[in-house]
């Protein structure tokens, strides 16, 4: 028996936020301690410790309409390729099954190859884009918008009531909700870059114009997770200096649930959907 087979799966608590952040930082992910606290407070986070050290995690974050998001599937480099991630995802799926939840996740290409045989079905694709900014902002920020306006567009697009998540984002220092010409987006801090999303717009031109206005008013690097089927949007971003970092494949485990009426241009992030 491999020694890792004896490592027990445990449920983590809010006091484990820093230990989780150590894992996501090792993986060069953009999550903050506040992001971890969302999963630990509002969801279920399974973990594996080797001694006192947290070496692997996976989170299940419930949403409305019998949906849940699986994310934060992380294994320390010292413990990879030993089946820990599969065990933790299985724990998430079993919890979702007991509660009658359809599970979703956004997988890297390597992850998609693992999740497909487990029964996950591919849905839409995402493209993570990054813009490296200069050290100074050159324009005034776009107009502010209300949390209620963002929440309504989010529900219309996703079919989910994510008031708690969006409220958490909006209340953080440095966060802002901005809008212009039928487009609206949330901008928040990440560990290494500011993140734009979710972003909704009446058309591609409005989405690109809002992102350009945000970029002109920011001083540091920016990340954005674009919906690939809105093809003119990521194409317009790359034409204006954004670079594609990696793709993500959105996948579903379980029956289809109620979908939104509109397609977002950018999502809240692969960890949040």
């Amino acid at each position: 028996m491999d020694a890792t087979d004896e490592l027990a799966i445990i449920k983590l608590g809010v006091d484990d936020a820093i230990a989780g952040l150590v894992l996501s930082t090792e993986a060069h992910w953009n999550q903050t301690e506040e992001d971890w606290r969302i999963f630990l407070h509002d969801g279920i986070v399974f973990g594996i410790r080797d001694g006192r050290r947290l070496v692997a995690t996976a989170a299940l974050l419930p949403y409305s309409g019998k949906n849940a998001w699986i994310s934060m599937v992380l294994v320390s480099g010292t413990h990879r390729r030993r089946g820990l991630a599969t065990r933790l995802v299985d724990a998430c799926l079993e919890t979702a099954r007991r509660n009658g939840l359809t599970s979703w996740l956004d997988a890297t290409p390597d992850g998609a190859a693992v999740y497909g045989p487990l029964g996950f079905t591919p849905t839409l694709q995402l493209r993570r884009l990054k813009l490296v900014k200069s050290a100074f902002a050159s324009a005034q920020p776009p107009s502010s918008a209300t949390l209620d306006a963002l929440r309504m567009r989010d529900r219309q697009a996703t079919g989910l009531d994510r008031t708690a998540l969006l409220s958490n984002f909006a209340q953080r220092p440095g966060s802002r909700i901005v809008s212009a010409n039928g487009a609206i987006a949330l901008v928040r801090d990440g560990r290494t870059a500011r993140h734009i999303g979710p972003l909704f717009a009446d058309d591609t031109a409005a989405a690109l114009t809002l992102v350009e206005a945000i970029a002109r008013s920011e001083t540091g690097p920016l990340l954005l997770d674009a919906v690939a089927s809105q093809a003119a949007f990521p194409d317009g971003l790359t034409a204006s200096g954004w670079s594609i970092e990696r793709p993500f494949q959105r996948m579903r485990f379980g029956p289809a649930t109620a979908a939104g009426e509109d397609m977002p241009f950018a999502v809240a992030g692969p960890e949040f959907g």
Side-chain angles (χ1 to χ4, degrees), residues 28-32 35 128-133 172 174-175 186-197 218-225 242 245-246 268 271:
H28 306 292
W29 289 8
N30 197 45
Q31 285 81 21
T32 65
D35 291 331
R128 167 154 286 192
L129 293 102
K130 184 173 185 177
L131 180 68
V132 178
K133 285 286 296 174
R172 297 180 187 180
S175 292
L186 188 143
V187 187
R188 70 183 193 274
D189 283 345
R191 186 182 62 84
T192 62
R194 296 266 283 168
H195 190 276
I196 302 173
E218 292 282 340
T219 59
L222 297 169
L223 292 176
L224 181 151
D225 296 299
W242 291 72
E245 284 205 322
R246 66 180 65 89
E271 67 272 54

Side-chain angles (χ1 to χ4, degrees), residues 22 33 44 59 83 86 88 90-91 109 141 163 171 190 202 231 247:
V22 169
E33 181 182 342
I44 299 171
T86 299
L88 290 166
D90 284 345
T163 300
Q171 291 168 5
D202 295 341

Side-chain angles (χ1 to χ4, degrees), residues 89-198:
V89 171
D90 284 345
C92 291
L93 290 174
E94 175 58 22
T95 301
R97 184 196 63 79
R98 289 200 308 267
N99 289 279
L101 303 175
T102 290
S103 298
W104 300 79
L105 55 76
D106 289 331
T108 63
D110 287 344
V114 173
Y115 299 131
L118 294 179
F120 281 86
T121 301
T123 58
L124 60 81
Q125 292 188 343
L126 305 173
R127 299 287 183 268
R128 167 154 286 192
L129 293 102
K130 184 173 185 177
L131 180 68
V132 178
K133 285 286 296 174
S134 62
F136 60 91
S138 60
Q140 292 297 315
S143 300
S144 297
T146 66
L147 174 61
D148 192 54
L150 180 69
R151 181 190 62 80
M152 291 178 64
R153 289 296 291 265
D154 186 75
R155 184 160 192 170
Q156 184 178 354
T158 66
L160 304 173
D161 182 356
R162 302 198 295 180
T163 300
L165 176 70
L166 298 176
S167 297
N168 182 292
F169 287 162
Q171 291 168 5
R172 297 180 187 180
S175 292
R176 55 193 181 116
I177 301 171
V178 295
S179 66
N181 304 316
I184 187 169
L186 188 143
V187 187
R188 70 183 193 274
D189 283 345
R191 186 182 62 84
T192 62
R194 296 266 283 168
H195 190 276
I196 302 173

Side-chain angles (χ1 to χ4, degrees), residues 14-37:
V14 292
D15 292 340
D16 293 302
I18 295 297
L21 183 61
V22 169
L23 275 180
S24 57
T25 300
E26 178 190 338
H28 306 292
W29 289 8
N30 197 45
Q31 285 81 21
T32 65
E33 181 182 342
E34 291 79 9
D35 291 331
W36 273 99
R37 291 188 182 280

